[in-house]
Amino acid sequence: MRKEDLVEQLETMEKPEVHLDHHKYRLKHLLRTRLYARNNSDFQLKKQWGAITMSILKNTKVIAPVLSVALLFGIYSLFFTGSQEAAAYVTLQVNPAVQLVVDKDNEVMQIEPLNDDAKQVVGELELIGMELEIALEMITTATLELGYVDADKEFVLSIRNVESLTNDELLQQLARGSKQAVSDSLSAANQTNEVHSVIVTPELFELALEKGLLPSDYIDLMETGISPEAVQEILMLSDIDGVDKNVFLDELDTVASALEDMLEAGFDEAKAIAMLQGAVKADKDFEELSTIIAAMIDMQDSGANPEQSLAYIQAALEQGVDQDMLLEEITTLTAAHIDMIEEGVSEETASALMKAAMKADPSLEEVTTITSILIDLMEEGLTEQEALAKLLAAMQADPTLENLDDLLEGEQEAKEEEDEAKEEEASSEGAETAPSDDASRDDEDLEDDEDNDDDNRSSQLSTSLSLSNKSEAASNNDKDEQLKDELTEKEDETEKTDPSSAKQANDQEANRESDDDANADDEEADVEEDEDNE
C-alpha cells in the first residue's frame, strides 16, 4: 500500500467508530505500534507530553503526507486524551515491579520500571493512553511469557493517591479493577497464583522505599488490618540500635505474624506495637521474638500484666544474666509468675521475688523452686508479706540456695520450739502470780475432807447405835421370855387355885405381849432408818 493511500484512509476515517473504549484503545495501539515503526528509514515520529515533533531523515518528498498524519494524530490525541493530571499510582509486583501513573479517567499516563526485570517486561509494550486494566493484562501476560512467574509467586498491587489529591472512591475503584484484571489474565493462562491488592499512603510508600522495601515486602503487615501509620512504626523498628536492617527485612514476616497473634489475643493496636518494640529491643537478632510474644500473650490470658515479661528481661540483663539463656528461659519465668498470680500473690510481690530470685540465681535454675516456696509458706498460714520476708531472709542466709529448704524447715522447727518455751514460761509465770487461787483450792479440798470425816463419823455412830439397839432388843427379848415363863408358871398355879384370877392374868399377859410387839416394831423401824442414813 502506498503511503498516499494510507494518509487518505486516515483522513477519511469515520470518527463514530472510535467512540467505544475498546475501539479507542485499538486505534491508539494500532497507530503507535504497527503503522509507524520507531526506526523508519524515511522518517521518525515522536510524541512527548502531548506535542508532536517530527524529523525527516531521508526522503523530503513525503513531508506533506507526514504532516497530514501528524496533524490527524495530534487532533486525535487532544480529542481522546486531552490534558490530564495524575490522580493515582498503581504498582504491580511479582518479581518485575512496575509503577503506572493514571489520571482520573483511569488511563495510563506514565510507566516506570522499578527493577531490571521490569524493563524487560515493558520494554516492547506501548501502554501510554491505555486503560489501566488493559495495561495490567498486557504486563501480566508479558511477565508469564518471559518466565518470571513460578507457581508460588504472588502478585501484589498497591494503589496510592497523588500527594495533592485524595479520592478514596477512585482508589477503591482502582484497587478492585486492578485485582480483577490481573486475576483474569492469570486464569486465561491457567495460573492459580494469588493476587493481593492494598491501598497505601504516600508517606508509607516513600518510607518503605527509603528502606529498600516495596509493598510486596510488607503486604502481610497491611493484611493484619492495622493502620498505615502503624505499619510505618513497625518499619521504623529497623532503626533501633543494634538491629541489622537486612536481618529485619528477612524477619519481617515473623514480625507480622507476632503482631497478628497479639491482635487476636485482645491487644489493641497501640499496645501491641509497644510490646513488639520492647520485644525487638530485647531480641535484636529475632531468634526468640515469637517466644517472647507468646509469653506476653500468656500473661495477658492469665490476667497478669504482660509488660512484666519485658521487665524481667530488662532486670535480668542488668543483673548480668546471659541473654541467650534468658531468652530461652523466658517461658519458664513467665510460668512462675503466672503460678504466683493464680495463687493470689500480688503483682508487686511476685515481681519483687522474681527479680530477687534472678539476682540470687543467675543460672535461673532455682527460680521455680523459690516461687513455689513462697506459695507453700502462704498456704501454711503466713501472710504474703511475712512469707516474702521469711523467704528473702533465707535466701540471704544461704546465697548458694543449696540448703534453702533445709534452712526454712530448721527455722520452722526452731520457731516451734521457741513457741513451746514461751508457753511454758507463760504457764510458770501464771502459777507465780496466782497463789491465792491455789490456797483457795487447798481450803476447799480441806473442807471437803473434813466433811467426809464427819460423814464417816456419823456413819460409824449410826452403825454403833444400831448395833447397840439390836443388842438391847435381843437382851429385852431374853428378859421377856424369862418373864413369860415365870408368868406361865404362876398362871398355872392360879388356875388351879382361882380360875378368875387366872383369866385376869391371861388378859394382862396378852396386853403385855401386844406392847412388846409394838416396841419391837419401833426398834426395827429405827434400825432401818439408821441403815438408810448410812
Side-chain angles (χ1 to χ4, degrees), residues 15-74:
K15 298 298 186 296
E17 294 181 1
V18 296
H19 286 177
L20 298 176
D21 291 341
H22 179 70
H23 288 176
K24 288 167 60 178
Y25 156 68
R26 291 298 181 188
L27 177 60
K28 294 178 185 178
H29 189 62
L30 181 64
L31 289 174
R32 293 173 181 170
T33 61
R34 296 188 180 180
L35 294 182
Y36 300 99
R38 290 183 175 180
N39 297 318
N40 189 284
S41 60
D42 293 327
F43 65 91
Q44 181 178 17
L45 179 66
K46 297 180 180 179
K47 175 176 177 290
Q48 183 176 10
W49 305 107
I52 300 177
T53 62
M54 180 178 63
S55 63
I56 304 301
L57 299 179
K58 289 185 179 180
N59 194 346
T60 58
K61 295 180 180 180
V62 297
I63 293 178
V66 171
L67 285 174
S68 299
V69 173
L71 180 61
L72 175 63
F73 188 74

Side-chain angles (χ1 to χ4, degrees), residues 1-196:
M1 177 183 292
R2 294 183 308 168
K3 292 179 181 178
E4 292 81 357
D5 296 335
L6 176 61
V7 172
E8 183 180 357
Q9 289 181 10
L10 289 173
E11 290 177 346
T12 59
M13 183 182 295
E14 295 182 5
K15 298 298 186 296
E17 294 181 1
V18 296
H19 286 177
L20 298 176
D21 291 341
H22 179 70
H23 288 176
K24 288 167 60 178
Y25 156 68
R26 291 298 181 188
L27 177 60
K28 294 178 185 178
H29 189 62
L30 181 64
L31 289 174
R32 293 173 181 170
T33 61
R34 296 188 180 180
L35 294 182
Y36 300 99
R38 290 183 175 180
N39 297 318
N40 189 284
S41 60
D42 293 327
F43 65 91
Q44 181 178 17
L45 179 66
K46 297 180 180 179
K47 175 176 177 290
Q48 183 176 10
W49 305 107
I52 300 177
T53 62
M54 180 178 63
S55 63
I56 304 301
L57 299 179
K58 289 185 179 180
N59 194 346
T60 58
K61 295 180 180 180
V62 297
I63 293 178
V66 171
L67 285 174
S68 299
V69 173
L71 180 61
L72 175 63
F73 188 74
I75 295 173
Y76 169 80
S77 298
L78 181 62
F79 180 80
F80 289 109
T81 62
S83 179
Q84 295 284 6
E85 293 183 356
Y89 298 93
V90 178
T91 303
L92 172 63
Q93 290 178 259
V94 55
N95 180 17
V98 181
Q99 179 171 271
L100 299 91
V101 182
V102 299
D103 59 24
K104 65 181 182 62
D105 294 326
N106 201 26
E107 292 185 352
V108 177
M109 297 177 59
Q110 185 179 345
I111 301 172
E112 180 183 359
L114 300 180
N115 56 21
D116 292 338
D117 292 338
K119 293 177 183 179
Q120 295 294 323
V121 171
V122 301
E124 299 298 325
L125 300 177
E126 292 291 341
L127 305 173
I128 302 299
M130 290 185 185
E131 289 185 0
L132 175 63
E133 289 79 2
I134 296 173
L136 290 173
E137 288 177 0
M138 294 179 65
I139 294 172
T140 302
T141 300
T143 303
L144 293 171
E145 291 175 351
L146 292 173
Y148 286 112
V149 181
D150 296 329
D152 59 345
K153 287 282 188 178
E154 295 182 351
F155 284 72
V156 177
L157 288 155
S158 65
I159 295 88
R160 71 185 191 280
N161 62 285
V162 176
E163 287 81 349
S164 59
L165 297 174
T166 301
N167 189 333
D168 293 337
E169 183 179 352
L170 174 63
L171 295 179
Q172 294 290 344
Q173 178 184 348
L174 291 174
R176 291 191 299 269
S178 299
K179 183 175 182 179
Q180 188 63 48
V182 174
S183 299
D184 290 345
S185 296
L186 291 172
S187 297
N190 294 320
Q191 293 289 126
T192 59
N193 303 73
E194 291 187 23
V195 181
H196 303 271

